[in-house]
Amino acid sequence: MSETKIDQLVFFVNGKKIVEKNVEPEMTLLQYLRTTLHLPGTKLGCAEGGCGACTVMVSKYDRAQDKIIHYSVNACLAPVCSMHGLAVITVEGIGSTKTRLHPVQERIAKSHGSQCGFCTPGIVMSMYTLLRNNPLPSMVEMESAFEGNLCRCTGYRPILEGFKSFTKEACCGKGANCCRNNFATGEADPNANSGEASSLFNHHDFAPFDPSQEPIFPPELQMSSKLDDQSLMFTGERVTWYRPVTLDELLILKDKHPTARLVIGNSEVGVEVKFKNMHYPVIIAPTHIPELLTVQCTDNGITFGASTTLTKMEEVLREAVEQKPEHQTRVFAAIIEMLRWFAGHQIRNVAAVGGNIITASPISDLNPLFMAAGCTLRLASKDVGFRTVPFDHTFFLGYRKTVLTPSEVLISIHIPYMKPDEYFYGYKQANRRDDDIAIVNAGIRVLFETHNNTVKEMAMSFGGMAPTTVMALKTAKQVVGRKWEDNLVADVCDLLADDLPLDPDAPGGMIEYRRTLTTSFFFKFYLSVQSRLQENKQVHEHCVPASCRSAIPVFHRDPSKSSQLYEEVAPGQPTDDAVGRVVTHMSAGQQASGEAVYCDDMPTIQGELYLALVTSTRTHAKILNIDPSDALEIPGVEAFLCHKDVPGDSNSTGPVIFDEEVFASEEVLCQGYVIGAVVADTQAHAQRAAKAVKIEYEDLPTVVTIEDAIAAEAFMPPSRTMNVGDVETGFSDSDHIIEGEMRVGGQEHFYLETQATIAVPKSENGEMELFCSTQNPSKAQMLVAKALGVPANRIVCRVKRMGGGFGGKETRFTTLLLPVAIAAHKLNRPVRCMLDRDEDMVITGMRHPFLGRYKVGFSHDGVIKALELNLYMNAGYSMDLSFSVMERALFHLDNCYKIPNLKVKSNICKTNLPSNTAFRGFGGPQGMMINESWVTDIAVTLGISQQQVREINMYKEGDVTHFNQKLVQCNIKRCWDEVLRKSSFMQRRAEVDLFNSENRWKKRGLAVIPTKFGIAFTAKFMNQGGALVHVYTDGSVLLAHGGCEMGQGLHTKMIQVASRVLRIPTSRIHISETSTNTVPNTMPTAASASSDLNGMAVVNACQTILERLEPFIVANPKGTWDDWVRAAYFDRVSLSSTGFHRTPDIGYDWDKNEGNPFNYFTFGAACSEVEIDCLTGDHQVLRTDIVMDVGSSLNPAIDIGQIEGGFIQGYGLFTLELVKFSPDGFLFTQGPGSYKIPGFGDIPVEFNVSLLKGSLNKRAVYSSKAIGEPPLFLASSIFFAIKDAISSARVDAGIHGTFRLDSPATSERIRMSCTDQFTKQFPPAEPGTYKPWFVHV
C-alpha cells in the first residue's frame, strides 16, 4: 500500500480552484456548496437523490478516451471527498440576472417553466449538462434528461415547451420554411377562434445558444494526471475516507477494515447513513482502480469492471447491440431497456454495476437479469487472491447477504452473449415508470433445441418476491423438454405459484398483485418468444392471436405535444396596462439562476444555532421518562428543550382550537409527535444529538384507519349534517337504487422546499423577527406571541417566497416554528431549522383520506332522485382545519349535478396519525370524487353512456344548489360542450371502442368530467384582504399586500393590477415580501381567493393614490408620472396608502341552510384518454383536453400554468400517490424513493388547455376568477378513463356491471380489477387471519 496518502482535497467549482485540508468525510457536496462556499442556488429537496433539486454538473478528463466528460449528479448524495480532481458547475456558474442569463435559464423563465422555483436550478442543470454533451438533442433525449427531476408546481409542460427550442425537432433545417419560424411565434393557432391567441412566449425573444461560449474545463486538470493518481485519506469526527488507486492497495485496506463500505456513487450508503441511522467508520472509494474500471469484449461476452457506472455500461451495451448479431445481444437489449427505468441520469452517472450487485437489494432491477442470463462474477481478496463464482441462486445467502467474505471485493461481472435459439426479456413493474423502485421485476431466458420449439434450458429470476433475488428453479427444471405451446402457460403459472410463495403479511404488502405479476410476466414472455419463433419459422401452429399482440411491445411514449388557447386583450388596450397580458413570473429569472432567496438560503447570522426536533417513535403512548444526557455530551450541543421550557402556561397551541401541544408533556398521539428539541452549533450535531435523546414509553391503544375510528366511535364533534327535500320520497320515486362505497386516499403535499424557519430574537422588549416558509404569517405571529407570552406587536413574521405550499404551510408550519422561536427566546440567539424530507412527511400531515358510503336513487333514464351519504374523514390526532375541510366536502358533494333530495352526515375521525390539514381543494376533490363514482355507477347500471347521465343531471343557469345558493353565470355546460368539441369526443369514443374490440391485454378508456368549485373562505370573517402602496419620489412604487408568493404568481398578478390602476408599466412596481409589519391581520394565502381579496385591496390603495395625484395630473396634463409624483411630494401630499377589501354579500347559516357560502364559482371540464396494460396495471395518459372558465384572465400564462400544475397534482392524487401506513400507524412513505408524485414522463402525451372565451365575473378584480384549486379535480377524468378501460377488460373476461375502484388507481388496483385467469389464481387471504404490512387509512 502506498506510503503517502494525501489529505488535501482539490477540485474546482465554477472555475475557481478549491483547496481544502482535512475535509469532513461525512459532508456532501451540497452541504459544502451551501455552507462553505455560500452557493445556495443548489437546493436540498430530499437528500436521497430522488427529486433532482440538488443537481449540478461534474466534469472530468477521461485520459483513456482523451476527452472531457460532463455528467449530472445529485449533490445531496455525492460526498465532497469524491470531487477530488473534478470540476463542478452549479447554477450560479452558468449565468445571472446581474450579468447575463444562460439560454437554458432564460428559456425556462420566459416559457413560464418556473413557478415556486425551488426545483428550477436542478432542472436547469440537467438541461445544461445535456447540452454540454449534445448541443442539438432530440425531444426524446431532452425528456429523458429529466427522469431524475421532480416539479410539484408546473405540470412540466411549460418546461418541456421552453426547452423544445433546443432540440432537433425545433430546427428542421428547411431554411425559410423552417418549423422554427412557426414555433411559438405568437401567430394564432388555426384551431383558435377569432380573438384567441395560442402562444405564451415567442422563441424569437430567446438569446441564441452558442455551445462554443461555455466555460472551459480547468486546464490544470486536463494537463496533469497528478490528482487522479493520488491515494487519499480524509479523517473526520467519526469517519475515515480512503481512495486507493491500485488493486493491491484496495485489497490491503479491505483486509485491514473488513467492515468498511465500498462507495462509488453513494446512492445506497448515503441513504443508509441519512435515513437508517447507519454508521460506517471507514469508507473506501474504489473509483480510480484500473481493474475495476476496465471494460473488455471477449469471444463469449463482455466483462465490466465493478466500478463501471451504469451510464457507461449502457453506452457499451448500445454499441454492442449496433455492431453484433441480434441474437448475441438479446440480454444486452434487455439490460438497456431496464436501465431506462433505473433511477434518473444523476444516479446512473455515478452508481456502479458492482454496487448494484453487492448491496443485494431484493428489488434490484439488474440482478434478476444478470442471474437469468448466467453471468459470472470475479472476486478478489488479499489472502485468497482471485476466484470466479456463478451469479445464480447460490450467490445471495439471505437479506442483504452474499457469498463474499468480509475481505473480498467484487472485481468484475461477465455478461455472456446469447445463442441463436436463445431468447431473453426483462420485466419490471413499479408504481411509476420513471425513477421508481420495482414492486416485482424479472429476467427470463429460454434456450431451445436447434431449429425447433422444444425447451432445452430455462432460467427465471425474480425480484420483489423474497428477501433476496430468487430463481424459480423447480419451474425452470419442469419446463425442459416441453414444447413452447399454449398449454405450457397454465402449467408454468401453477409451478410459479409453488416456486414463489408469499405470506399474506410479507413485507411490502400487495401479496396477490405481486404473485399475479410473476405469472403475468411469464405470459408476456411466452407471447414474445412465440412471436419470435413465428418470425423465425420455428413454429407453424399456436400463432399469437392478433388480439394478444399488443401485450408484446415494450413501453413507448411519443414526445410530448400541447396547445394553449386564451383570449387576447381588447384592441386598443394601453400598452402599459398589463392586465390580461402574458407576463412572465416576476422572479422567474432569479429562480432560474439560483439567485432567488428561500428561507434556508439566507446567510447565517452571527451566533446562529441549528435546531433538530426530537419526535415520537410510537403512535400512542405515555411518556415515562426523557433522558437527554447523552445528547448533551455531543460536541456543539447547546441545549435540550421540552414542554418545561415553554414560557408561562403557553404549551397549548393550535390553528383554530388549542387542542395540541408545542412539546408533548405527558402523552404522544402519533409517530412524529414533537417531544423536544436539541439546539447545537451545526445541523449535523443537532440531528445526531436529537437521535441520542432517550425516551421511555408506555404504549396505549391506537386508532389508525377510518374503519378503526368507526369501530371505536372515535369522532370529533361537531358533526355537520345536510338535509334537502324528502329523501324517502325520492327513493320511493326511483326506478333503481344502488349502494356502494368509495375511498379517496390521502396525499402528501411534497412541496419541494420543506418546512423552514429562522427566529431572530431582538435585544429589547421581547421582540423577535421570524423568517418562515409559511402561507399564514399572521397566524405565525399570533401563535409565537402566545407561546412566548408577549403581545403580537413584538413579533414580526416575514415571507419572501415559498418553495411550494399547496395548503401544507397554512397551519402545520407551527409544528416547527414554535420550537424554533422558543429556543431562540430561551438562548437569546438566532435559531434555524429546515426539516429533512422524511421529517416533514412524518410530522406535518397530509390531505385528508375520505370514505363515502352512499345510497342513490334514480330513474330509468338516469335522472338522480335521491342521495343518502355518510362521509368519513381521517383527521389525525387534532382538529387543525378538519372541520372546515369537511364543510367544503359537503358543499361540493354535488359536483355539477342537481340532487333534489339529499341526506348527508359527516364524521370527523380522530386517529393516531399526524394531524391532517389543508391541501389544494380543501375537501372539495374528495366530495366530488365520491359523487362521480356513483354517477358512473348509475350509467353502468342502466347500460347508458356516462356522458348522458352527466348531461341530464347537469346544473343550468339559475339552478339552486343543495346549499341553496343560486348559480349565476353558470358556465358548466359551455365548458362541457366546448371540451367535447375540442377533444373530438364522439369520434374518439368510437376509436377507443374499436381498439378495445381488437385487443385483449391492452385497453383504452375515455372519460369527460366537469367541475364546479366555490370561491371564498367558508368562514365569513376570513373574506378580507389588505394592501399597502408606497410611491417614492423617483416614481418607483413599492407594493405590499396580505398574500404570500409560493409559485402561484400572486405577486406578479398584483403588480399587473396596480399597473392598470396607476397607469404605469409593471417595471416601475416592486413587491419585496409579505410581512406582518406592513399589512396586519392577514388571512392565509389559501382558498384560491388571494388574487380576489388582495387584488381588490390593491385597487383600493392605488385608487387612493391616483385620487391624490389627480389635481396634479389636471394641472399638468402633458406631464409624466414622475412629474406628478414630484409635484405631489413638494405639495406635501401623502404618497402612501393602505387598501382594504371585504367580500360583500357572503355568509351561510348551516342551521337554516341559507345564504351564500361562496362569492362565485369557477367551472371547467376535461376529457382524458388512457391506455392500460391489463397484465401489469401500468397505464399511460394519451391525451387530455381541458376547457376552464377563468373569467377574464389577469395573466393567461399564470392561469394556464395553474391549470396544468393543479391537474397534474390531481393526477398524482387519483392515480399514483399512495400513502402507506403500518397497521400500528407508522408511515412507510417518507420520501421520493417510496412516495411517487408524477414526473416528466407521466404527463399526457398530448396536453391541450383552453380558457373559456367571453366569460365575465363581476364578483372579482377586473372580471377574473380564482384558479389555484379548481383544476385539480379535473384529473379525475384520468381516473374514470382508467375505470372505463378496466371495464372493457372485465367484459372480455365475462364480468359485467359495477365494480369498486378506490382512489388512487395504482397499478395494483388496475391490475387486480382486470380480473382474469392470472388474478383468479391468487385469491386474497381471509381478513383477520393475518396482519397486513400496510393499511389504507
Side-chain angles (χ1 to χ4, degrees):
M1 187 162 60
S2 172
E3 293 290 329
T4 305
K5 282 189 168 48
I6 305 299
D7 60 1
Q8 182 170 274
L9 178 67
V10 180
F11 67 115
F12 285 75
V13 176
N14 296 333
K16 179 182 177 181
K17 186 175 182 179
I18 306 296
V19 179
E20 188 78 31
K21 184 84 169 176
N22 278 324
V23 69
E24 172 55 60
E26 292 187 87
M27 180 174 277
T28 65
L29 173 60
L30 178 64
Q31 292 168 330
Y32 190 86
L33 292 173
R34 292 178 61 86
T35 62
T36 304
L37 300 184
H38 307 295
L39 294 172
T42 309
K43 309 299 183 191
L44 174 65
C46 68
E48 58 177 275
C51 74
C54 64
T55 303
V56 298
M57 186 181 83
V58 175
S59 303
K60 67 178 180 182
Y61 181 64
D62 188 320
R63 302 189 188 284
Q65 299 183 65
D66 189 25
K67 72 174 185 178
I68 298 164
I69 296 175
H70 309 288
Y71 54 98
S72 56
V73 305
N74 293 119
C76 72
L77 288 178
V80 69
C81 296
S82 67
M83 294 297 109
H84 189 74
L86 304 178
V88 177
I89 299 290
T90 72
V91 70
E92 294 96 337
I94 68 172
S96 166
T97 59
K98 298 168 185 174
T99 54
R100 181 186 70 91
L101 288 176
H102 188 277
V104 172
Q105 297 168 322
E106 179 198 36
R107 295 185 194 189
I108 196 172
K110 288 185 176 179
S111 63
H112 316 285
S114 181
Q115 289 187 15
C116 87
F118 201 81
C119 67
T120 306
I123 291 171
V124 164
M125 293 311 297
S126 288
M127 186 67 201
Y128 178 77
T129 306
L130 172 64
L131 293 177
R132 289 299 300 267
N133 288 313
N134 183 358
L136 190 62
S138 67
M139 277 288 289
V140 171
E141 290 167 329
M142 184 265 282
E143 293 188 11
S144 173
F146 304 121
E147 290 164 359
N149 291 87
L150 295 176
C151 171
R152 194 55 152 166
C153 297
T154 64
Y156 301 106
R157 193 279 312 163
I159 301 172
L160 295 174
E161 197 72 35
F163 287 159
K164 179 181 178 181
S165 60
F166 288 109
T167 65
K168 296 173 182 176
E169 286 81 350
C171 182
C172 61
K174 294 182 179 178
N177 297 317
C178 177
C179 56
R180 277 183 180 271
N181 294 329
N182 298 312
F183 173 68
T185 61
E187 297 174 4
D189 188 292
N191 297 317
N193 297 317
S194 175
E196 285 185 319
S198 60
S199 176
L200 295 174
F201 64 92
N202 189 336
H203 87 275
H204 292 302
D205 293 337
F206 294 157
F209 170 55
D210 183 353
S212 68
Q213 298 304 302
E214 299 300 340
I216 65 169
F217 184 74
E220 178 180 340
L221 299 181
Q222 186 170 355
M223 295 172 65
S224 170
S225 64
K226 175 184 175 183
L227 298 178
D228 295 337
D229 299 336
Q230 291 175 337
S231 294
L232 305 178
M233 183 179 76
F234 300 112
T235 303
E237 283 188 22
R238 305 189 306 160
V239 173
T240 300
W241 169 285
Y242 294 96
R243 191 193 77 178
V245 291
T246 67
L247 181 58
D248 285 344
E249 190 180 355
L250 170 63
L251 297 180
I252 291 170
L253 280 171
K254 197 67 172 74
D255 185 66
K256 183 178 180 181
H257 306 285
T259 61
R261 293 302 297 263
L262 272 60
V263 170
I264 304 290
N266 202 41
S267 57
E268 182 76 19
V269 171
V271 171
E272 288 179 343
V273 171
K274 180 69 177 176
F275 299 108
K276 299 180 181 180
N277 299 325
M278 303 297 287
H279 173 53
Y280 302 110
V282 177
I283 297 290
I284 303 173
T287 55
H288 284 61
I289 297 168
E291 291 87 343
L292 272 65
L293 296 169
T294 300
V295 176
Q296 184 178 5
C297 295
T298 67
D299 293 339
N300 59 356
I302 302 179
T303 299
F304 291 92
S307 293
T308 305
T309 66
L310 300 181
T311 297
K312 177 66 175 178
M313 170 182 266
E314 182 179 1
E315 291 172 359
V316 172
L317 293 179
R318 284 190 183 278
E319 186 177 341
V321 167
E322 292 173 2
Q323 296 177 356
K324 300 287 183 181
E326 182 274 333
H327 71 269
Q328 286 191 348
T329 63
R330 287 169 184 165
V331 67
F332 300 169
I335 294 171
I336 292 168
E337 174 63 23
M338 187 65 74
L339 286 172
R340 284 176 64 192
W341 318 116
F342 190 113
H345 286 272
Q346 297 95 321
I347 295 294
R348 299 201 295 269
N349 288 337
V350 295
V353 60
N356 187 266
I357 295 168
I358 298 303
T359 53
S361 169
I363 50 174
S364 161
D365 286 341
L366 294 179
N367 287 347
L369 305 186
F370 293 152
M371 293 172 72
C375 296
T376 54
L377 304 175
R378 192 168 188 236
L379 314 177
S381 63
K382 175 176 173 290
D383 292 335
V384 176
F386 294 95
R387 66 177 178 128
T388 299
V389 298
F391 194 5
D392 59 13
H393 64 283
T394 64
F395 183 74
F396 295 115
L397 305 180
Y399 180 69
R400 302 282 184 172
K401 296 179 180 178
T402 71
V403 297
L404 272 73
T405 64
S407 61
E408 264 186 321
V409 172
L410 174 63
I411 302 299
S412 63
I413 177 172
H414 179 75
I415 307 175
Y417 295 135
M418 297 287 103
K419 299 171 183 174
D421 294 302
E422 198 168 16
Y423 298 91
F424 191 102
Y425 291 95
Y427 301 93
K428 172 183 178 179
Q429 184 57 45
N431 204 38
R432 185 184 74 194
R433 275 184 303 277
D434 288 346
D435 191 7
D436 196 2
I437 56 176
I439 298 169
V440 174
N441 48 25
I444 309 178
R445 176 178 61 88
V446 63
L447 174 63
F448 293 102
E449 300 286 353
T450 304
H451 302 311
N452 67 41
N453 67 338
T454 301
V455 177
K456 181 177 182 181
E457 184 181 311
M458 193 168 188
M460 309 172 74
S461 182
F462 293 88
M465 295 302 296
T468 67
T469 303
V470 292
M471 301 192 76
L473 298 174
K474 295 177 183 176
T475 304
K477 184 178 180 181
Q478 291 289 326
V479 170
V480 172
R482 294 282 300 271
K483 294 286 186 181
W484 200 257
E485 297 173 350
D486 290 353
N487 59 15
L488 181 69
V489 175
D491 293 344
V492 169
C493 288
D494 290 339
L495 290 166
L496 284 173
D498 292 336
D499 245 348
L500 303 170
L502 269 184
D503 292 332
D505 59 353
M510 302 183 285
I511 305 304
E512 297 79 30
Y513 177 46
R514 288 156 67 188
R515 301 192 75 190
T516 299
L517 282 175
T518 61
T519 54
S520 297
F521 284 164
F522 173 74
F523 182 57
K524 279 178 169 282
F525 180 76
Y526 170 80
L527 293 175
S528 299
V529 172
Q530 187 75 329
S531 178
R532 295 298 300 275
L533 292 176
Q534 286 176 228
E535 292 173 11
N536 297 335
K537 299 185 173 15
Q538 290 176 247
V539 293
H540 303 286
E541 299 178 356
H542 303 283
C543 296
V544 177
S547 62
C548 293
R549 289 174 189 158
S550 59
I552 296 173
V554 298
F555 177 82
H556 170 76
R557 176 187 168 91
D558 290 330
S560 301
K561 60 180 179 178
S562 64
S563 68
Q564 305 82 43
L565 295 177
Y566 60 93
E567 195 167 2
E568 295 179 313
V569 297
Q573 178 171 316
T575 306
D576 287 344
D577 182 355
V579 169
R581 298 188 188 278
V582 169
V583 176
T584 302
H585 192 294
M586 291 298 176
S587 297
Q590 290 95 326
Q591 290 166 189
S593 63
E595 296 167 274
V597 177
Y598 299 83
C599 188
D600 196 49
D601 294 340
M602 295 177 62
T604 55
I605 305 166
Q606 186 174 2
E608 182 180 289
L609 298 171
Y610 202 95
L611 178 141
L613 296 176
V614 177
T615 59
S616 171
T617 58
R618 306 296 175 88
T619 51
H620 190 201
K622 287 182 180 178
I623 298 174
L624 301 180
N625 186 51
I626 302 174
D627 179 10
S629 56
D630 288 350
L632 294 172
E633 293 295 319
I634 292 176
V637 172
E638 293 284 338
F640 170 77
L641 291 86
C642 65
H643 67 95
K644 299 175 183 177
D645 297 289
V646 181
D649 186 23
S650 303
N651 194 42
S652 62
T653 189
V656 180
I657 59 174
F658 296 150
D659 61 345
E660 304 180 40
E661 292 183 304
V662 178
F663 297 114
S665 58
E666 298 177 354
E667 191 175 326
V668 294
L669 301 176
C670 69
Q671 176 200 16
Y673 201 93
V674 178
I675 297 172
V678 173
V679 186
D681 58 342
T682 67
Q683 180 185 21
H685 288 152
Q687 291 182 338
R688 194 182 309 158
K691 294 172 183 175
V693 176
K694 297 175 182 176
I695 302 170
E696 295 178 28
Y697 302 95
E698 179 184 316
D699 288 328
L700 298 171
T702 60
V703 175
V704 176
T705 67
I706 289 174
E707 287 81 359
D708 291 344
I710 294 171
E713 297 185 351
F715 303 127
M716 295 187 201
S719 173
R720 287 285 194 210
T721 59
M722 300 188 87
N723 293 281
V724 178
D726 186 334
V727 172
E728 294 307 318
T729 300
F731 282 128
S732 65
D733 291 344
S734 299
D735 298 318
H736 302 271
I737 296 174
I738 59 173
E739 297 185 52
E741 67 178 48
M742 184 188 190
R743 181 186 298 275
V744 183
Q747 184 181 26
E748 164 59 33
H749 299 86
F750 213 95
Y751 28 68
L752 265 291
E753 178 203 30
T754 58
Q755 303 281 357
T757 292
I758 303 171
V760 184
K762 303 300 181 180
S763 58
E764 53 185 301
N765 299 323
E767 293 182 15
M768 181 174 288
E769 192 171 26
L770 306 171
F771 299 91
C772 187
S773 183
T774 176
Q775 298 171 235
N776 202 347
S778 288
K779 184 64 68 176
Q781 175 191 33
M782 299 306 295
L783 290 181
V784 168
K786 177 186 181 299
L788 301 184
V790 300
N793 62 6
R794 311 299 167 84
I795 309 297
V796 175
C797 182
R798 299 169 60 183
V799 181
K800 183 75 173 178
R801 61 173 57 85
M802 285 169 276
F806 316 114
K809 296 176 180 177
E810 184 176 349
T811 60
R812 300 317 299 167
F813 69 92
T814 59
T815 309
L816 175 65
L817 169 72
L818 296 177
V820 169
I822 290 166
H825 173 80
K826 178 177 180 178
L827 301 174
N828 197 32
R829 291 172 67 179
V831 176
R832 173 191 305 244
C833 182
M834 179 176 178
L835 293 182
D836 283 341
R837 177 63 57 186
D838 61 322
E839 294 176 307
D840 194 292
M841 294 183 74
V842 168
I843 293 170
T844 61
M846 60 179 175
R847 184 189 295 276
H848 293 79
F850 268 67
L851 176 66
R853 292 175 173 169
Y854 54 81
K855 177 182 177 183
V856 185
F858 50 96
S859 68
H860 60 82
D861 55 357
V863 176
I864 300 165
K865 297 291 187 178
L867 169 67
E868 191 173 303
L869 175 65
N870 278 320
L871 270 185
Y872 301 89
M873 65 140 64
N874 193 326
Y877 72 83
S878 71
M879 181 62 82
D880 190 74
L881 300 176
S882 297
F883 186 65
S884 298
V885 171
M886 179 59 85
E887 285 188 337
R888 186 167 281 270
L890 294 174
F891 284 132
H892 287 78
L893 59 83
D894 59 338
N895 192 16
C896 295
Y897 313 113
K898 183 75 174 174
I899 306 174
N901 304 292
L902 177 148
K903 181 180 179 181
V904 183
K905 182 181 180 183
S906 66
N907 303 273
I908 300 175
C909 301
K910 184 173 183 177
T911 62
N912 296 116
L913 298 184
S915 192
N916 292 322
T917 190
F919 198 146
R920 196 177 201 163
F922 204 75
Q926 295 97 313
M928 292 186 281
M929 190 67 177
I930 292 166
N931 165 284
E932 290 293 351
S933 180
W934 56 257
V935 167
T936 303
D937 287 350
I938 291 174
V940 173
T941 300
L942 296 175
I944 62 178
S945 74
Q946 296 175 30
Q947 176 191 0
Q948 180 180 338
V949 174
R950 292 186 168 99
E951 288 180 350
I952 201 171
N953 292 289
M954 194 172 287
Y955 281 127
K956 299 180 290 293
E957 179 71 21
D959 279 350
V960 176
T961 67
H962 64 287
F963 47 89
N964 281 330
Q965 180 162 351
K966 185 178 180 180
L967 295 176
V968 180
Q969 294 177 313
C970 179
N971 289 325
I972 299 172
K973 192 63 164 60
R974 279 193 64 198
C975 293
W976 177 266
D977 290 343
E978 194 161 318
V979 84
L980 289 176
R981 179 179 61 82
K982 287 180 177 292
S983 66
S984 304
F985 176 80
M986 297 307 297
Q987 174 188 333
R988 288 170 56 214
R989 178 74 264 176
E991 292 170 353
V992 165
D993 291 342
L994 177 62
F995 178 91
N996 289 342
S997 69
E998 295 175 346
N999 290 277
R1000 175 62 185 93
W1001 301 110
K1002 287 281 178 70
K1003 294 292 182 180
R1004 290 182 179 174
L1006 188 67
V1008 189
I1009 298 291
T1011 192
K1012 167 184 64 67
F1013 196 88
I1015 303 302
F1017 288 101
T1018 52
K1020 181 178 178 179
F1021 77 93
M1022 298 180 72
N1023 292 287
Q1024 56 177 294
L1028 174 65
V1029 176
H1030 295 320
V1031 182
Y1032 295 99
T1033 55
D1034 65 351
S1036 63
V1037 177
L1038 180 63
L1039 173 63
H1041 60 89
C1044 299
E1045 179 61 53
M1046 51 185 161
Q1048 81 281 41
L1050 178 60
H1051 285 352
T1052 305
K1053 283 186 173 182
M1054 294 304 93
I1055 288 173
Q1056 289 176 271
V1057 169
S1059 164
R1060 167 169 282 187
V1061 182
L1062 298 176
R1063 302 195 288 270
I1064 60 175
T1066 56
S1067 59
R1068 305 298 300 274
I1069 307 169
H1070 178 64
I1071 296 176
S1072 176
E1073 63 181 3
T1074 305
S1075 175
T1076 55
N1077 64 355
T1078 54
V1079 180
N1081 308 319
T1082 57
M1083 293 303 108
T1085 304
S1088 303
S1090 297
S1091 289
D1092 292 357
L1093 297 173
N1094 297 295
M1096 292 300 288
V1098 168
V1099 169
N1100 178 236
C1102 290
Q1103 284 176 339
T1104 301
I1105 294 290
L1106 207 60
E1107 288 168 6
R1108 294 174 185 169
L1109 292 178
E1110 188 63 27
F1112 306 98
I1113 298 173
V1114 172
N1116 182 14
K1118 295 185 178 180
T1120 64
W1121 168 260
D1122 292 357
D1123 294 334
W1124 303 326
V1125 167
R1126 280 194 297 270
Y1129 170 72
F1130 284 112
D1131 203 33
R1132 297 178 297 172
V1133 172
S1134 172
L1135 294 173
S1136 176
S1137 177
T1138 60
F1140 185 77
H1141 174 73
R1142 64 176 185 173
T1143 306
D1145 307 319
I1146 197 168
Y1148 178 75
D1149 187 321
W1150 278 92
D1151 295 330
K1152 298 179 181 179
N1153 190 22
E1154 65 180 29
N1156 292 331
F1158 301 114
N1159 189 27
Y1160 60 88
F1161 296 90
T1162 296
F1163 307 105
C1167 174
S1168 291
E1169 181 180 352
V1170 303
E1171 182 174 289
I1172 67 170
D1173 186 327
C1174 302
L1175 289 169
T1176 64
D1178 200 15
H1179 79 271
Q1180 180 178 194
V1181 185
L1182 301 177
R1183 177 174 170 178
T1184 290
D1185 295 85
I1186 298 173
V1187 174
M1188 205 78 202
D1189 171 20
V1190 301
S1192 181
S1193 175
L1194 293 176
N1195 185 327
I1198 285 177
D1199 286 346
I1200 289 173
Q1202 287 295 290
I1203 292 166
E1204 293 167 336
F1207 183 88
I1208 295 302
Q1209 198 168 68
Y1211 168 62
L1213 167 65
F1214 297 130
T1215 64
L1216 292 178
E1217 299 180 41
L1218 182 64
V1219 180
K1220 297 180 182 179
F1221 282 91
S1222 77
D1224 300 318
F1226 292 93
L1227 181 66
F1228 288 132
T1229 45
Q1230 296 186 18
S1234 54
Y1235 184 83
K1236 294 301 174 180
I1237 70 172
F1240 277 85
D1242 295 308
I1243 68 172
V1245 177
E1246 183 174 348
F1247 199 2
N1248 305 311
V1249 176
S1250 298
L1251 303 186
L1252 189 68
K1253 185 180 177 183
S1255 173
L1256 299 177
N1257 177 32
K1258 298 177 182 178
R1259 303 282 299 174
V1261 60
Y1262 295 130
S1263 261
S1264 63
K1265 282 192 174 185
I1267 198 58
E1269 294 170 291
L1272 183 138
F1273 179 67
L1274 292 179
S1276 67
S1277 60
I1278 296 175
F1279 176 94
F1280 289 106
I1282 288 172
K1283 195 170 185 180
D1284 181 47
I1286 295 171
S1287 295
S1288 177
R1290 292 170 67 88
V1291 168
D1292 283 359
I1295 304 169
H1296 300 267
T1298 63
F1299 64 97
R1300 178 174 175 177
L1301 181 65
D1302 287 339
S1303 173
T1306 59
S1307 57
E1308 176 197 14
R1309 285 175 170 156
I1310 295 171
R1311 176 64 186 99
M1312 300 312 289
S1313 296
C1314 294
T1315 307
D1316 53 37
Q1317 65 268 36
F1318 304 109
T1319 61
K1320 291 177 181 178
Q1321 191 178 2
F1322 304 107
E1326 190 69 27
T1329 62
Y1330 68 99
K1331 185 176 182 179
W1333 187 74
F1334 73 89
V1335 294
H1336 301 290
V1337 298

